[in-house]
C-alpha cells in the first residue's frame, strides 16, 4: 500500500499488478466489514486489506486453486468467515481477519456445475434454529442452498428463468423483527419477482411470481420500513427499462406509486439512506444515462438528483456522510474509455460535485461508516470507529484498489 498522492483525493492505494501480472485483473467488487476490506482477483485469490492504511492483513493472498477461476460478485462476510463465488462454479469459505486461522480455506466446493450467475454473490443467513446457510444463484436460473459449516448442498430450487439466466443474486428478507428469525429469499429472475421459502426454496405466497415490465438486472435491496400499518420491510427491485419497484414484505404488494421510472436501464445496485431518526427514507438509483435519482421509499415518488454525469453508471452507488456532519454525498462510479470516474455529488446541493479518476474500469464500491461500528464487541473495530472519519473503497480491473475519504 502507499499514500494516495498519485490519485487526487485518495487516502491510500494498493497496486496488485506485481501479484496478478499484466494478464490478471481485480475481478470482484469489494466488501467492507469493520475496517477490513475484502476482494478477489481473476486468478482465484482473495485479499484482505486494512481499510485505514491499505496494509495487507492476510499473511498472503488466499489461493483457491488453479481450477477456481475468477472471484466474482462481492465477498460476503458473516460470523467470522468470508464466502466467495468463482467463475468456474466453486463456492469457498475462508476464515476472516481476527478469526482463528485467518486466511485459511475452511472449505472449497464445486457447488455450481454449470457455473454461477453473472456477478453471483452469496447470501448467508442463520435460520430460526441457529444454523447458518449459504444461498448462491447458478447460470441455469436456480438457487443453491449450502450448509455453511461443511459446504454440502442442502437444496436446489426449480429453474426460475427457463431459457434465461438469473443476472442478480438473492437477498435475505427476515420474517418478523425479533429472534428467532425466519426468513425468505427475494430474487429477481428474468421478468419476475420471486419470494422463496428459505427452508425448501419453494415459492412462498400465491401472488408470486409477480411479473414486471422488463428484465430485473439490479440486485434486490431489503430494508426495514415503518408504515402507518406498523413495522414492515421494503424490497427494492430495478429493471432494464428503468423501472424501480418497492414491495411490502408483509403483504407482497407494491408500495406507493411503484414503479418509479428512471427512464434508463438500472444495472447497478440501489442504495437506501436513513433519516435523522435512523429510519430508512430514500432510495438512490444509478441509471445508465448518467443520472442519479432520489426516490421516497414510502411513496415511491422521486426525481433526478443529478443528470449528465460522464460515463455509464452501470455499477452500484453508495451514499454516506462522515462523522459530525449531516452532509451526505453520492459516490457513483462510471467507466469512461479505460478509466474509472468516481463521481462524488452532494445530496443537499448537487451542484457541489467533483470526480476522482482511477486507471481501469470500475467495480462496485463499498463504504465504511464509523458510527455503524462504535458499539462493536471487537475492541479493534470499536477503537477505529472513534478515530476514523470513514472512507469509500473501489477496485478497478487494472489492479488498483483505492480508498477515498468520506466528504
Amino acid at each position: 500500500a502507499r499514500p494516495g498522492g498519485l490519485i487526487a483525493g485518495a487516502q491510500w492505494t494498493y497496486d496488485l499488478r506485481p501479484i496478478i501480472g499484466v494478464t490478471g485483473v481485480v475481478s470482484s467488487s469489494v466488501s467492507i466489514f469493520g475496517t477490513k476490506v475484502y476482494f478477489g482477483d481473476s486468478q482465484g485469490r482473495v485479499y484482505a486489506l486494512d481499510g485505514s492504511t491499505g496494509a495487507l492483513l492476510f499473511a498472503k493472498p488466499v489461493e483457491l486453486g488453479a481450477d477456481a477461476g475468477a472471484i466474482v460478485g462481492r465477498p460476503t462476510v458473516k460470523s467470522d468467515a468470508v464466502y466467495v463465488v468463482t467463475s468456474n462454479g466453486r463456492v469457498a469459505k475462508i476464515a476472516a481477519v481476527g478469526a482463528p486461522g485467518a486466511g485459511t480455506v475452511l472449505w472449497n466446493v464445486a457447488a455450481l456445475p454449470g457455473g454461477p450467475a453473472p456477478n453471483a454473490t452469496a447470501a448467508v443467513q442463520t435460520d430460526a434454529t441457529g444454523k447458518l446457510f449459504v444461498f448462491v444463484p447458478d447460470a441455469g436460473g436456480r438457487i443453491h442452498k449450502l450448509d455453511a459449516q461443511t459446504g454440502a448442498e442442502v437444496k436446489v430450487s426449480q429453474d426460475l428463468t427457463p431459457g434465461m439466466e438469473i443476472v442478480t443474486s438473492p437477498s435475505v428478507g427476515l420474517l418478523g423483527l425479533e429472534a428467532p428469525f425466519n426468513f425468505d429469499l427475494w430474487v429477481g429472475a428474468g421478468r419476475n419477482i420471486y419470494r422463496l421459502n428459505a427452508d425448501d426454496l419453494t415459492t412462498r405466497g400465491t401472488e408470486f411470481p409477480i411479473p414486471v415490465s422488463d428484465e430485473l438486472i439490479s440486485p434486490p435491496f431489503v430494508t426495514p420500513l415503518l408504515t402507518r400499518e406498523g413495522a414492515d420491510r421494503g424490497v427494492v427491485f430495478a429493471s432494464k427499462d428503468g423501472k424501480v419497484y418497492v414491495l411490502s414484505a408483509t403483504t407482497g404488494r407494491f408500495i406507493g406509486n411503484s414503479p418509479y421510472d428512471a427512464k434508463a436501464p438500472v444495472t447497478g445496485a440501489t442504495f437506501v439512506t436513513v433519516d435523522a431518526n435512523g429510519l430508512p427514507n430514500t432510495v438512490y438509483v444509478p441509471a445508465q444515462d448518467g443520472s442519479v435519482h432520489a426516490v421516497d421509499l414510502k411513496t415511491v415518488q422521486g426525481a433526478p438528483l443529478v443528470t449528465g454525469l460522464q460515463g455509464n453508471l452501470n455499477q452500484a452507488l453508495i451514499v454516506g456522510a462522515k462523522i459530525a456532519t449531516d452532509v451526505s454525498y453520492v459516490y457513483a462510479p462510471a467507466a469512461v474509455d479505460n478509466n474509472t470516474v468516481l463521481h462524488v455529488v452532494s445530496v443537499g446541493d448537487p451542484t457541489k460535485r467533483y470526480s476522482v479518476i482511477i486507471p481501469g474500469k470500475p467495480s462496485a464500491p463499498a463504504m465504511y461508516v464509523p458510527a455503524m461500528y462504535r458499539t462493536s464487541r471487537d475492541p479493534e473495530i470499536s477503537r477505529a470507529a472513534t478515530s476514523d472519519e470513514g472512507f469509500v473503497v473501489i477496485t478497478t480491473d487494472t489492479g488498483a484498489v483505492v480508498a477515498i475519504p468520506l466528504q
Side-chain angles (χ1 to χ4, degrees):
R2 63 174 186 265
L6 297 180
I7 296 176
Q11 180 171 320
W12 55 259
T13 64
Y14 191 90
D15 186 359
L16 263 70
R17 284 174 295 184
I19 300 173
I20 63 177
V22 295
T23 59
V25 299
V26 178
S27 53
S28 85
S29 296
V30 293
S31 291
I32 296 178
F33 183 78
T35 56
K36 314 301 189 295
V37 178
Y38 297 93
F39 59 92
D41 71 23
S42 59
Q43 296 161 357
R45 287 181 288 252
V46 179
Y47 302 78
L49 303 182
D50 184 320
S52 298
T53 65
L56 188 65
L57 293 177
F58 286 149
K60 60 180 181 179
V62 178
E63 304 266 0
L64 295 184
D67 62 342
I71 309 300
V72 299
R74 289 183 188 265
T76 302
V77 186
K78 185 82 170 182
S79 300
D80 296 326
V82 183
Y83 299 83
V84 295
V85 183
T86 79
S87 60
N88 286 349
R90 303 194 73 85
V91 181
K93 177 182 180 180
I94 301 163
V97 174
T104 301
V105 179
L106 302 175
W107 49 256
N108 179 4
V109 298
L112 311 171
N119 297 313
T121 296
V124 185
Q125 182 62 40
T126 304
D127 72 4
T129 70
K131 192 171 179 62
L132 195 64
F133 293 99
V134 182
F135 302 87
V136 189
D138 70 19
R142 301 176 300 171
I143 306 296
H144 295 250
K145 178 180 181 179
L146 310 179
D147 184 321
Q149 184 67 30
T150 65
E153 187 168 270
V154 178
K155 293 282 185 182
V156 182
S157 77
Q158 66 174 337
D159 183 352
L160 304 177
T161 57
M164 301 175 63
E165 290 182 315
I166 292 178
V167 296
T168 69
S169 293
S171 290
V172 172
L174 300 177
L175 302 175
L177 301 178
E178 297 181 358
F181 293 123
N182 292 300
F183 62 97
D184 284 341
L185 293 176
W186 292 90
V187 184
R191 297 187 176 199
N192 290 289
I193 294 172
Y194 280 88
R195 179 182 190 169
L196 301 184
N197 183 324
D199 289 335
D200 59 10
L201 300 185
T202 59
T203 302
R204 186 193 293 272
T206 57
E207 66 272 34
F208 293 95
I210 298 174
V212 296
S213 58
D214 205 346
E215 188 176 9
L216 294 161
I217 54 177
S218 174
F221 191 110
V222 183
T223 179
L225 178 65
L226 185 62
T227 68
R228 292 179 180 178
E229 289 73 33
D232 196 354
R233 295 185 190 276
V235 190
V236 183
F237 291 85
S239 61
K240 194 173 182 178
D241 61 356
K243 301 296 193 300
V244 180
Y245 302 86
V246 184
L247 280 82
S248 162
T250 299
T251 66
R253 294 193 295 266
F254 290 123
I255 292 172
N257 293 299
S258 289
Y260 171 81
D261 190 358
K263 302 186 185 303
V266 178
T267 307
T270 56
F271 192 91
V272 177
T273 58
V274 299
D275 62 18
N277 297 315
L279 298 174
N281 64 344
T282 305
V283 182
Y284 288 89
V285 180
Q288 288 192 17
D289 64 354
S291 61
V292 175
H293 300 254
V295 182
D296 185 270
L297 184 61
K298 295 180 182 178
T299 65
V300 198
Q301 294 178 311
L305 174 71
V306 63
T307 61
L309 295 179
Q310 185 182 20
N312 183 349
L313 303 184
N314 63 356
Q315 295 287 349
L317 56 68
I318 50 180
V319 184
K322 65 182 180 182
I323 293 176
T325 177
D326 58 359
V327 180
S328 294
Y329 283 80
V330 173
Y331 300 81
V336 179
D337 298 324
N338 290 317
N339 291 319
T340 291
V341 177
L342 180 62
H343 298 285
V344 184
V345 181
S346 169
V347 170
D349 181 2
T351 64
K352 295 180 179 179
R353 66 181 81 164
Y354 73 95
S355 299
V356 179
I357 300 175
I358 307 168
K361 295 180 180 179
S363 67
M367 176 175 61
Y368 166 64
V369 180
M372 296 171 59
Y373 295 98
R374 288 177 186 162
T375 59
S376 172
R377 295 179 181 178
D378 184 325
E380 181 182 348
I381 291 176
S382 61
R383 276 196 304 272
T386 61
S387 57
D388 289 343
E389 289 198 327
F391 50 82
V392 172
V393 179
I394 189 168
T395 63
T396 73
D397 62 0
T398 60
V401 187
V402 181
I404 306 294
L406 287 179
Q407 300 305 301

